[in-house]
């Protein structure tokens, strides 16, 4: 007899004493995964083998966690736009790669040297790991963590990978790979959360929600009475609207070409909607008496440098534009009248993860959710099984989702 954690146990604090069958090698089976404790996990994952192709859902083998790593059984994964950026080639990463970086689940095993995490702990992954030791972490900017930057390579800290398919090594997006019921990640990526937070909601704060909320609250520094514009009302933009509302903005202009998103935006706190920046110009001019927006958050899927001059046009004197969305990796030109930037003291700042801190802000946002101040429920427009991941992304392209979420079998 020995103590094991059942492979199908997400959401339940349950460690069982089981009789191991010596012929079966002490293995535990769930519907889609076979797991030998301390050994390989045979499971499945959505892998991108080439840009401009579908995600391929297929069997993978997962090595046990090494130094500083943990094996996590995932309950859910958000379907962020950044995974789509791998498909379009706007984001460049080593291929093949297991997608997904908005994950929440339960720690199943810990590798050597792991401190502060134990089997049974509920965790959310911060999409940028935070080691707590490097200069950015030590100065309160863990969104720029040096370890996090290394793990963005998609390889573990020792330069190898734990994921394998078709006899090949497979990287994981941001060294997370949440498009799979199991993954192995660095402990620095994990944030322990309370057991009573639903994991299918909690996963969203690992990227999109905190990125959007922090873009308003930290990067833009929205103040009570501010006029704010949010461009792009996906998962990040809807959360930026919520952040601006919580920070006391007076007016919040939600700008999106998709009608469904303009319809949903007021429920997150938008006071006005417009289909484009150009259309928003006259509305903002009228509603702010020509003052324009103190803060503008760029949260469209992929930005375009050619739009910056119009974006600066809806920005007030001393106003700040926060560039949260990604731009194509090879784009290096932008339209911007630098004379007016100087004369009107406008600012353009970049922000990653909403300039937030995974260890303080993830628990904070989940508390706001529990207290009913942050709406995660309405952010989830559709849920999918892993096998339907391509349908989920098609729905995103078709403008049907604020956020799709993959739900794994419990
Ligand atoms: C992105 C930012 C660029 C690297 C990949 C992740 N952020 C959120 O999805
Ligand atoms: Zn993301």
């Amino acid at each position: 007899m020995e103590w094991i954690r059942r492979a199908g146990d997400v959401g339940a604090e349950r460690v069982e004493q089981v009789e191991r069958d010596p012929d079966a090698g002490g293995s535990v089976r769930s519907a889609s995964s076979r797991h030998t404790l301390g050994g390989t996990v045979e499971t499945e994952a959505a892998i991108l083998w080439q840009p401009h192709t579908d995600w391929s859902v297929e069997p993978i083998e997962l090595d046990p966690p090494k130094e500083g790593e943990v094996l996590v059984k995932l309950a859910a994964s958000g379907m962020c736009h950044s995974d789509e950026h791998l498909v379009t080639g706007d984001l460049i990463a080593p291929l093949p790669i297991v997608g997904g970086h908005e994950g929440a689940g339960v720690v199943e095993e810990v590798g050597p040297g792991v401190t502060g995490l134990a089997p049974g702990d509920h965790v959310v992954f911060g999409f940028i790991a935070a080691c707590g030791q490097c200069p950015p972490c030590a100065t309160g900017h863990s969104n720029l963590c040096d370890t996090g930057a290394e793990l963005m390579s998609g390889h573990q800290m020792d330069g190898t990978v734990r994921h394998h398919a078709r006899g090949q090594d497979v990287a994981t997006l941001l060294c997370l790979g949440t498009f799979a019921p199991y993954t192995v990640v660095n402990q620095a990526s994990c944030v322990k959360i309370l057991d009573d937070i639903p994991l299918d909601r909690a996963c969203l704060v690992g990227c999109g929600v905190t990125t959007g909320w922090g873009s308003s609250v930290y990067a833009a520094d929205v103040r009570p009475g501010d006029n704010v514009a949010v461009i792009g009302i996906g998962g990040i933009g809807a959360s930026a609207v919520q952040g601006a509302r919580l920070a006391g903005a007076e007016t919040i202009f939600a700008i999106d070409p998709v009608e469904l998103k303009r319809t949903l935006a007021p429920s997150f706190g938008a006071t006005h909607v417009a289909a484009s920046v150009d259309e928003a110009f006259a509305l903002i001019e009228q509603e702010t008496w020509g003052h324009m927006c103190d803060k503008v958050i760029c949260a469209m899927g992929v930005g375009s440098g050619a739009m910056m001059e119009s974006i600066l046009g809806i920005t007030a004197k001393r106003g700040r534009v926060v560039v949260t969305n990604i731009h194509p990796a090879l784009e290096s030109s932008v339209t911007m009248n630098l004379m007016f930037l100087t004369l009107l003291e406008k600012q353009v700042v970049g922000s990653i993860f909403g300039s937030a801190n995974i260890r303080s802000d993830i628990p904070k946002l989940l508390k706001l959710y529990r207290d009913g101040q942050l709406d995660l429920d309405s952010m989830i427009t559709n849920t999918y099984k892993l096998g339907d991941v391509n349908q989920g992304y098609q729905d995103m392209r078709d403008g049907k989702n604020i956020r799709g979420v993959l739900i794994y079998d419990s």
Side-chain angles (χ1 to χ4, degrees), residues 67-70 112-117 129-130 185-191 359:
E67 181 77 23
E69 297 168 4
V70 295
V114 170
T115 52
L117 287 172
V185 302
N186 194 285
Q187 61 180 336
S189 301
C190 297
V191 179
R359 301 206 186 283

Side-chain angles (χ1 to χ4, degrees), residues 57-132:
V57 178
E58 56 184 278
I60 63 162
E61 297 87 47
L62 203 48
D63 297 335
K66 292 195 175 166
E67 181 77 23
E69 297 168 4
V70 295
L71 169 68
V72 175
K73 177 166 173 46
L74 288 156
S77 170
M79 300 172 73
C80 179
H81 211 130
S82 299
D83 303 277
E84 170 77 354
H85 294 148
L86 289 179
V87 175
T88 59
D90 287 319
L91 207 70
I92 294 163
L95 300 180
I97 195 165
V98 177
H101 59 281
E102 269 186 0
V106 179
V107 174
E108 182 121 345
E109 281 180 40
V110 300
V114 170
T115 52
L117 287 172
D121 284 348
H122 288 210
V123 290
V124 169
F125 299 154
F127 92 76
I128 304 170
C131 71

Side-chain angles (χ1 to χ4, degrees), residues 80-83 85 91 101-102 127 152 173-174 207-208 211 236 324 326 352-353 403:
C80 179
H81 211 130
S82 299
D83 303 277
H85 294 148
L91 207 70
H101 59 281
E102 269 186 0
F127 92 76
M152 276 189 180
L173 182 54
L174 300 163
C207 177
T211 297
I236 292 177
T324 290
I326 71 149
I352 182 90
F353 194 57
R403 243 323 172 255

Side-chain angles (χ1 to χ4, degrees), residues 336-345:
M336 189 189 290
N337 184 313
L338 294 177
M339 171 67 97
F340 284 122
L341 201 78
T342 302
L343 295 182
L344 303 177
E345 286 200 350

Side-chain angles (χ1 to χ4, degrees), residues 130-138 145:
C131 71
Q133 308 287 323
C134 66
C137 279
C145 171

